[in-house]
Amino acid sequence: MRLSALLALAAIALPYSAAEAAQDPYSYAEPDKVRVRHAELDLALDFPARTIAGTVTLDLDWRDARASTLNLDTRDLAIERVEALDAAGHAQALRYTLAVPDAELGSRLGIAAPGQPARVRIAYRTAPTASGLQWLDKQQTADKQAPFLFSQSQSIHARSWIPLQDTPAVRFSYAARVRAAQGIKVLMSALRQPAQDGVQVFRQPHPIPSYLMAIAAGALAEQATSPRTAVWAEPSQVAVAAREFSDIEAMMRTTEQLYGPYRWGRYDMLVLPPSFPFGGMENPEMTFLTPTVIAGDKSLVSVVAHELAHSWSGNLVTSATWRDIWLNEGFTTYVENRIVEAVYGKTQADEEFVVAAGELKHKMQSLSENQQRLAPAPREVGADDALTDVAYVKGAWFLRFLEARFGRVVFDAYLRDYFDHFAFQSITTEQMLDYLRANLVDRHPGKVDWDQVEQWVYAPGLPDSARLPAVPAFTAIDATRAGFLDGSLSAAALPGGDWNTHEWLYFLDHLPEAPTLAQVQALDAAWRLARSSNAEIGMRWLPRAIRAGDSAAWPAARAYMLRIGRMKLTLPVYRAFASTPAGLAYAETAYGAHQAEYHPLTRQAIEKVLRKAHAQPEATP
């Protein structure tokens, strides 16, 4: 055996057992003893107080005859009472304790449950600072008609607005009744039902994990994009959004042809205010989207394709723990790329994947070896921190490797069977690998060695078998960029007018992190990059301009990072400012004046960047 092979095997030696890998260290729940099977919510939204109050009734499946305690996850919830309900609906008070909170996990709600009641009802109230909710004044919305509320439960933030078993290992159906002020439309990750006496009603008949619990409320309008799809947004935005996402039905049909029927009934999309911290969130029946994907030319609608793909990979077949999140995001990124190829062509799909792969390679340089694994060692990566480009892009790259080795026809059939076999289940990496080995690798011997599979999943970095498609346009752009950087080609002479969005992204991604001031000024004068309406271009250009010392770009960068709450886009600008004392002071002033407009998760991330900058010793001139 060659030395390189020995080193690879050493890198994938697992520092944990299979049993440990299957445990969720980010939840107090004990699903081996009792599981929530259904939840009924009866809630009231209080915008002035910025709280949700009401009850959740949990239907329980007791699995251990000796168990007498129901442990639930909470964060900053005020628990008012807990009751057991008998078959006739009569309530009996139950004793409970709310533990001292952990900074990451929140507080364990321990409920004494003698006799293992089948139903338990909890009355509670959220805190105005709930980590999974953002309350916006009407002045912070596009139309300024009414206040706005939206949730973001992934990864472990559902516990901040519902007491439950907040782990992806537990799936449950739910129903909800929600009271809100007149003129406020409520939406949830469920099918809307006819209102009852002014109360808005919802039903989710399929079992979902807690991180897919979602709610939004505000002055909202709807525009249909097909008989089973629609766009929701503030009235002034809904028509523009519907035009941008008009291909959603074609995307759905493509995915159904590849991987089986769409099983969720409707697929609606909600465009949220700019403070939404992510590109999209795949809440069943109601995908949440950032307005930054509305570029006007459909160049960023792969985010929509990604969230749609989650209807198969993630929502239908779900990772059992956050350590396994690549089973959601890697599979979804692969399916997303297949949707883009079918709807927009192979050139766009290949360009998008090569751009994403370049981002992955760059970000891997700052990740620990454990973070570079698709299935990292448990407890060494936080629940929110597991959502890196490794889960998304390395996971998809692994599936592209399998597709190349087995052929698209064979691999598509395998993937469709995989979705059918594990439908509405939460599984671990090891369960996925057992199925892969039995149903693909062993059935087609000689195509892939099992140690290659283990290297992709358990080893850090990228294996030698990682291959990228050839993109002729990118080869030409490499030569053009080299000419600009060596001075043989002026900025004005670049053929940028002929480049599409992804070709511009590729050009920018491979510029130096800190170009010279002259280079930055020349590019911006020729192409007005600092004022681009495309948020992805801004994310790549503005940090480079700041690091190059172009103070003329500071006002545009400030406007960008205050306009956009999506963490992927705004954090690189804050990091660039934080690299110098003057820039750090400028960013802190801007943030201090506008921090209330950011989502709680974005605030935490920005403050971490600023604290880290203060902790760094100043560079010696």
Side-chain angles (χ1 to χ4, degrees), residues 222-292:
E222 177 188 17
Q223 184 164 323
T225 45
S226 81
R228 58 177 175 172
T229 69
V231 171
W232 290 83
E234 293 184 66
S236 67
Q237 296 181 310
V238 70
V240 172
R243 284 195 299 271
E244 194 81 355
F245 307 146
S246 61
D247 295 329
I248 186 62
E249 180 63 33
M251 292 181 181
M252 292 184 71
R253 290 177 182 172
T254 293
T255 319
E256 287 180 314
Q257 290 169 1
L258 288 169
Y259 306 121
Y262 180 77
R263 308 189 195 205
W264 301 89
R266 290 194 59 80
Y267 186 82
D268 290 345
M269 297 160 283
L270 170 63
V271 179
L272 290 169
S275 60
F276 183 52
F278 299 104
M281 183 62 210
E282 63 272 16
N283 304 311
E285 280 107 23
M286 189 59 66
T287 281
F288 285 7
L289 292 168
T290 170
T292 62

Side-chain angles (χ1 to χ4, degrees), residues 166-249:
D166 194 10
T167 169
V170 175
R171 305 176 69 106
F172 54 92
S173 56
Y174 80 89
R177 293 165 50 85
V178 184
R179 296 165 182 80
Q182 189 171 3
I184 297 293
K185 174 70 70 175
V186 179
L187 301 173
M188 295 193 75
S189 54
L191 298 169
R192 288 179 296 121
Q193 306 296 300
Q196 300 174 2
D197 299 325
V199 179
Q200 299 179 64
V201 182
F202 303 88
R203 182 177 66 90
Q204 177 51 264
H206 300 295
I208 65 170
S210 56
Y211 72 87
L212 294 178
M213 293 295 299
I215 189 168
L220 293 167
E222 177 188 17
Q223 184 164 323
T225 45
S226 81
R228 58 177 175 172
T229 69
V231 171
W232 290 83
E234 293 184 66
S236 67
Q237 296 181 310
V238 70
V240 172
R243 284 195 299 271
E244 194 81 355
F245 307 146
S246 61
D247 295 329
I248 186 62
E249 180 63 33

Side-chain angles (χ1 to χ4, degrees), residues 362 484-485 508-521 523 540-550 576 579-580:
H362 175 73
F484 168 72
L485 292 174
L508 295 172
D509 275 341
H510 294 272
L511 285 175
E513 288 295 305
T516 68
L517 180 58
Q519 289 169 340
V520 164
Q521 290 174 333
L523 280 171
R540 288 160 169 84
W541 176 250
L542 292 168
R544 285 177 166 85
I546 294 166
R547 285 192 290 266
D550 185 8
S579 64
T580 66

